[in-house]
Amino acid sequence: MSWRKWLFLISTASLLAGCTANPATTIFHTNSMIAEQKLQLFNILFWMGVGVFLLVAVLLALAIIRGRRQPGDNSEPRQNHGNVRLEIIWTVIPILLVVYIFFITVRTMNAVAAPPREDGDLTVRVIGHRWFWEFQYPDLGITTANDLVIPEDTNIHLELVSVDVIHSFWVPNLSGKIDVVPGQQNSMWIRADNPGTFMGHCGEYCGMQHANMHFNVIARSADDFTAWVQGQQQPVAAAQGTLEEEGEQIVTAGVCAGCHTIQGTKMVGKTGPDLTHLYSRTIIAGGFPLDDATLEQWLRNSDELKPGNLMAGIRVSDQQIEAVMAYLKTLR
Ligand code: CUA
């Protein structure tokens, strides 16, 4: 292939990569006032830094060029001892810059400080696990994992804790980061201006599968959110169909119950994600799109997909896999 074709292919691919339905996961595509304010602060600091760098680089280049020793000239260069005007200039200008940075930083901190609670605000408890995120909605009686579903244009107050090591909650399109610490509750708030799906990351190295500790923040319109809440509040109905019933028996009476909860069954384990409405979610195991093939791979050998996870060593046998899959797919 000629280099022109390669160039065309590469540029088309990079253009298409920007064409997903969801915004790229970056602080430069904001969907909230908080992220917007922080981006503005970043831009000011960045361009100030660029300005100072260019100024210093130009003065340095000038000094190097103009201060060169001329051929045949062996005299000492002119010695300067103290220049009050220069010293005042290079002291006052940095002080003014630092004071300005202080001022705009405090202004941004005030602008994004948590708003007073209002009617309609939502509280979500965020629990970091190695390696997935659990989300509890205490006022709604809902627990999910991997997907944080929120209504748009609503203040979401987050209470964050970890059950094991320090994680960090970060949704670049919506907010800054906050550490999620065992034994200490931190808080922050987020708000999405428009519906959409925004990827979140764990921003603090937390062990082997730190990289597979994603989550999705899914902002929905008010009606969509209400419908989602009603769906999530339904306990699981008893399985219908032979295969599903067989799967239900394996899941609820077997080893799964030690770690997972399914509302409406006798499963109340707390170590792993709540599975009540598993198939209504977009992500499984903290970083993989939830689909049949991934779920099957996970059940057959989770260690292959995500080495080091706590379910490693627990396998669903070939005879059982069809039934377990059939049952789990009813959990919508
Ligand atoms: Cu959790 Cu990195």
Side-chain angles (χ1 to χ4, degrees), residues 19-321:
C19 287
T20 49
N22 300 318
T25 306
T26 150
I27 63 163
F28 298 105
H29 291 180
T30 61
N31 186 41
S32 83
M33 180 279 281
I34 307 171
E36 182 59 35
Q37 291 277 341
K38 290 182 177 179
L39 178 60
Q40 284 174 13
L41 180 64
F42 170 84
N43 280 332
I44 295 172
L45 294 180
F46 177 76
W47 288 112
M48 275 174 69
V50 168
V52 170
F53 171 76
L54 288 179
L55 182 70
V56 171
V58 166
L59 290 177
L60 186 63
L62 276 178
I64 292 171
I65 294 166
R66 294 182 52 180
R68 264 184 317 186
R69 185 193 292 274
Q70 299 302 318
D73 176 7
N74 286 322
S75 61
E76 281 263 302
R78 187 162 61 86
Q79 301 295 304
N80 282 319
H81 288 285
N83 182 325
V84 175
R85 197 201 294 172
L86 264 183
E87 286 181 10
I88 289 178
I89 289 174
W90 71 48
T91 307
V92 168
I93 290 181
I95 288 178
L96 289 178
L97 289 180
V98 171
V99 168
Y100 176 65
I101 289 171
F102 175 76
F103 170 75
I104 58 174
T105 304
V106 171
R107 192 183 59 184
T108 305
M109 287 166 72
N110 281 332
V112 304
R117 283 172 189 259
E118 296 166 357
D119 287 351
D121 282 10
L122 193 63
T123 297
V124 179
R125 262 180 92 68
V126 176
I127 301 162
H129 296 256
R130 278 188 301 177
W131 292 274
F132 72 95
W133 294 93
E134 178 180 350
F135 303 108
Q136 298 177 350
Y137 300 67
D139 304 329
L140 303 172
I142 294 172
T143 300
T144 70
N146 301 311
D147 278 6
L148 172 55
V149 181
I150 59 172
E152 64 168 329
D153 274 333
T154 305
N155 300 334
I156 314 294
H157 301 272
L158 304 176
E159 299 171 347
L160 309 100
V161 288
S162 166
V163 294
D164 36 50
V165 298
I166 300 178
H167 304 276
S168 177
F169 180 93
W170 187 30
V171 193
N173 302 107
L174 298 182
S175 71
K177 281 180 196 168
I178 191 162
D179 273 3
V180 182
V181 181
Q184 176 191 315
Q185 181 178 301
N186 285 346
S187 55
M188 78 183 292
W189 71 292
I190 56 172
R191 181 183 171 111
D193 290 345
N194 298 292
T197 299
F198 310 98
M199 189 188 263
H201 297 266
C202 177
E204 175 90 29
Y205 180 71
C206 55
M208 201 172 180
Q209 290 294 336
H210 160 69
N212 283 319
M213 201 172 158
H214 299 315
F215 56 103
N216 274 337
V217 176
I218 301 167
R220 295 174 171 232
S221 66
D223 290 348
D224 278 0
F225 181 74
T226 309
W228 177 82
V229 168
Q230 283 164 356
Q232 298 287 310
Q233 285 173 335
Q234 301 295 323
V236 166
Q240 307 282 325
T242 323
L243 199 59
E244 287 82 355
E245 280 173 20
E246 190 190 328
E248 181 186 36
Q249 180 63 22
I250 297 167
V251 171
T252 59
V255 67
C256 311
C259 293
H260 295 282
T261 290
I262 298 178
Q263 306 274 343
T265 72
K266 56 193 173 189
M267 289 173 68
V268 290
K270 290 286 171 222
T271 316
D274 184 302
L275 300 179
T276 309
H277 295 281
L278 173 69
Y279 246 72
S280 69
R281 299 176 194 159
T282 59
I283 289 183
I284 184 175
F288 307 93
L290 176 55
D291 55 42
D292 296 359
T294 315
L295 180 64
E296 187 173 338
Q297 194 188 353
W298 179 255
L299 292 171
R300 281 191 195 280
N301 187 356
S302 64
D303 216 31
E304 197 174 84
L305 199 61
K306 193 174 177 179
N309 79 86
L310 288 180
M311 214 172 92
I314 293 171
R315 310 264 160 88
V316 179
S317 69
D318 288 349
Q319 294 85 1
Q320 295 177 327
I321 196 96

